[in-house]
Amino acid sequence: MEERRDAYEVLGVSRTASADEVRKAYRQAALKHHPDRNAGDVAAAERFKEATEAFQVLSDEQRRRAYDQFGWAGIEGGGGGFPGGVDLGDLFGNFQDLFSEFFGGGGRSRSRGPRRGPDVRVLERLTLKEAAFGCKREIALQFPAPCDSCSGSGAAPGTAPVACGTCRGTGQVSNARGFVMFTAPCPTCRGEGRVIKTPCPACHGSGEQAKSKKIVVSFPPGIDEGQILRVSGQGVPSPDGGPTGDVLVQVEVEPDERFERHGVDLATKVKVSFLDAAFGAHVDVPALDDEPLAIEIPEGTQPGHVAVVRGRGVPRLDGKGRARGALHVVIDVEIPSASSMPPKARELLQALRSELAPDRAPEPRVGAAGRAGR
Ligand SMILES: [Zn+2]
Ligand SMILES: [Zn+2]
C-alpha cells in the first residue's frame, strides 16, 4: 500500500499558502534536490519528483481545489467518480515539460561522440515593469568548466589517465555472494574505469576549473514569473569538443505596490471621494508605463466598481498583433467621518441630510467635537 505524503507537507507550506508561497517553496525544494546537483542520488531524485508533483497540484487552482477536497484521490481519479478529478496523464505531461526544461533537452546520453556541455541555470529578478515591457540585463555567470591546462582530463599535461588496474577499465567489479554475483562500481576508480597517475597541478586532478563570464540577456515584453528563457550556446563548454551548453534564465517578478498582474491584465486600486463618486469625475490612475492616465467615472459610481481600460495592460508574449491586455481599475470610495470635517463642511452635510431626508431626526451620536443642531 502506498501512503502518499501530503502535498502541503512535501513543500512545507500551510494549507492557506498563497500561490506565491507555493512557488517559492517549490523553487527551494527543486534547487536543493535537483538531479543535476545530486548526481546518482536516488533519494534526492525521488524528493525532486515528489516536490514537482506537489507543485503541479498546488500551483493549479482547479487541481488544488480537487486536492483540498479529496486528497490525492481527487488528483488520481482520472475519469473515476470524483468530481473535479484531474487526469494524471495531463499531470505527467507537464512534469515531462518541466523535466526536459531542467535537463536541457533530455538526459545526458552515454552514447559515443562528443558530449554537449552542461547548461547553466540562473534566477533573475525583474520588476513588473521590466517583465511587462522587456529589458536587457547583463548577467554574471559562474560555472565549472573543463580545466584549461589538462583540457578536462585531470591528468598533468604530457600524461593521460590510464585504465584502472582493479576493474581493468570497466568501472565495475563483481563479487560472488553465495550463488549470486553482485556487480558494484569499482572502488579504486569510483566507476570511471580510468585512474590519474599524475594529477594536473592546476585543477588537482578534478579536470574542472571555476570560470565566470558575463552575458547580456534580452527579456521579451510580456515575460512572466516562472518562465524560463534559453540562451543557446552560452553555457558550459563541452569537455570533449561537443556543443556548448545553454544558459537557462528563470524569471522571478518582484511584487509591485501598485499593480497586480493576472496574465496580460493588470489590476490597480484608486481612491475617489464620495462626492466625486456621486457627481462623476475625471480620476488620475497610475499606469505601468508611466504615461499619465485619466479615466472618467460616471456619476453614481459605487464602491468596488471596476473600470476597464483596454490596451493598458501587459503586452502579449506571443506578440500577436502586439496587443496588450487591459488595466482594471477598482474604485475605492472614501467616506469621510463627519466629526473629522471642518465645521462648515459638517454643517453643509448636515443640511444636505435634512434636505434629502427631512423626516429623519438627526442622530445624537456625532463625535466629541461635533454638536448636532439641537
Ligand atoms: Zn587540470
Ligand atoms: Zn576501477
Side-chain angles (χ1 to χ4, degrees):
M1 271 316 289
E2 54 169 345
E3 174 80 82
R4 261 191 107 156
R5 278 178 77 202
D6 176 64
Y8 291 97
E9 190 190 306
V10 168
L11 293 181
V13 295
S14 74
R15 299 193 84 81
T16 55
S18 68
D20 211 43
E21 287 168 323
V22 167
R23 209 159 35 225
K24 287 218 169 89
Y26 171 62
R27 189 178 303 125
Q28 276 187 350
L31 287 175
K32 185 168 164 204
H33 302 301
H34 199 283
D36 271 11
R37 287 196 173 177
N38 302 275
D41 184 342
V42 178
E46 199 49 48
R47 307 223 100 171
F48 179 72
K49 181 169 172 277
E50 190 181 48
T52 301
E53 284 171 346
F55 174 70
Q56 294 289 340
V57 169
L58 299 187
S59 63
D60 181 288
E61 251 178 73
Q62 192 197 339
R63 283 182 195 142
R64 186 170 172 175
R65 262 201 306 277
Y67 180 81
D68 284 346
Q69 217 170 344
F70 305 109
W72 286 110
I75 304 302
E76 290 168 316
F82 295 99
V86 173
D87 184 16
L88 201 61
D90 178 30
L91 194 77
F92 278 109
N94 291 338
F95 183 59
Q96 288 301 338
D97 287 349
L98 190 80
F99 231 59
S100 59
E101 197 62 75
F102 269 126
F103 274 95
R108 306 269 165 275
S109 65
R110 277 270 168 194
S111 59
R112 274 152 281 141
R115 284 172 293 166
R116 191 171 160 276
D119 296 332
V120 179
R121 289 169 190 80
V122 288
L123 200 62
E124 195 63 18
R125 207 170 154 86
L126 306 179
T127 64
L128 179 60
K129 191 176 171 183
E130 287 171 328
F133 299 121
C135 65
K136 275 191 178 174
R137 276 282 181 86
E138 192 180 67
I139 297 178
L141 302 174
Q142 283 190 314
F143 51 87
C147 168
D148 283 336
S149 299
C150 61
S151 309
S153 75
T159 72
V162 294
C164 171
T166 310
C167 61
R168 294 196 204 87
T170 63
Q172 293 191 324
V173 287
S174 302
N175 292 308
R177 234 179 262 165
F179 299 106
V180 190
M181 289 290 280
F182 287 92
T183 305
C186 168
T188 309
C189 61
R190 292 201 202 101
E192 290 285 311
R194 307 175 312 163
V195 286
I196 293 160
K197 285 262 158 70
T198 322
C200 162
C203 63
H204 307 289
S206 72
E208 285 185 349
Q209 189 180 29
K211 287 218 170 137
S212 58
K213 74 170 172 183
K214 287 179 176 169
I215 60 169
V216 174
V217 177
S218 292
F219 295 90
I223 199 157
D224 205 352
E225 171 85 19
Q227 289 176 330
I228 295 172
L229 212 63
R230 181 183 291 273
V231 187
S232 295
Q234 295 287 339
V236 182
S238 162
D240 47 17
T244 301
D246 299 337
V247 176
L248 304 180
V249 187
Q250 187 171 343
V251 173
E252 193 175 39
V253 180
E254 282 173 28
D256 190 279
E257 284 180 354
R258 300 172 304 166
F259 299 101
E260 265 176 31
R261 178 173 175 179
H262 303 277
V264 292
D265 293 333
L266 293 171
T268 191
K269 262 190 187 171
V270 67
K271 288 182 176 177
V272 303
S273 75
F274 72 112
L275 294 168
D276 282 349
F279 283 108
H282 286 92
V283 179
D284 282 334
V285 171
L288 191 57
D289 34 3
D290 287 343
E291 285 168 43
L293 185 58
I295 63 164
E296 201 180 323
I297 57 165
E299 65 169 61
T301 290
Q302 302 299 310
H305 171 79
V306 179
V308 178
V309 189
R310 307 220 168 269
R312 296 306 288 263
V314 173
R316 290 178 200 280
L317 187 58
D318 59 20
K320 276 179 192 152
R322 299 210 60 79
R324 287 169 60 180
L327 174 63
H328 296 243
V329 184
V330 182
I331 308 293
D332 194 7
V333 178
E334 285 185 301
I335 314 286
S337 132
S339 65
S340 65
M341 290 179 147
K344 174 78 176 161
R346 197 166 58 239
E347 263 168 44
L348 288 169
L349 211 57
Q350 191 70 266
L352 176 65
R353 181 153 85 168
S354 307
E355 175 68 24
L356 292 178
D359 299 337
R360 192 181 164 135
E363 299 283 336
R365 165 161 50 84
V366 188
R371 290 235 24 188
R374 195 189 264 238

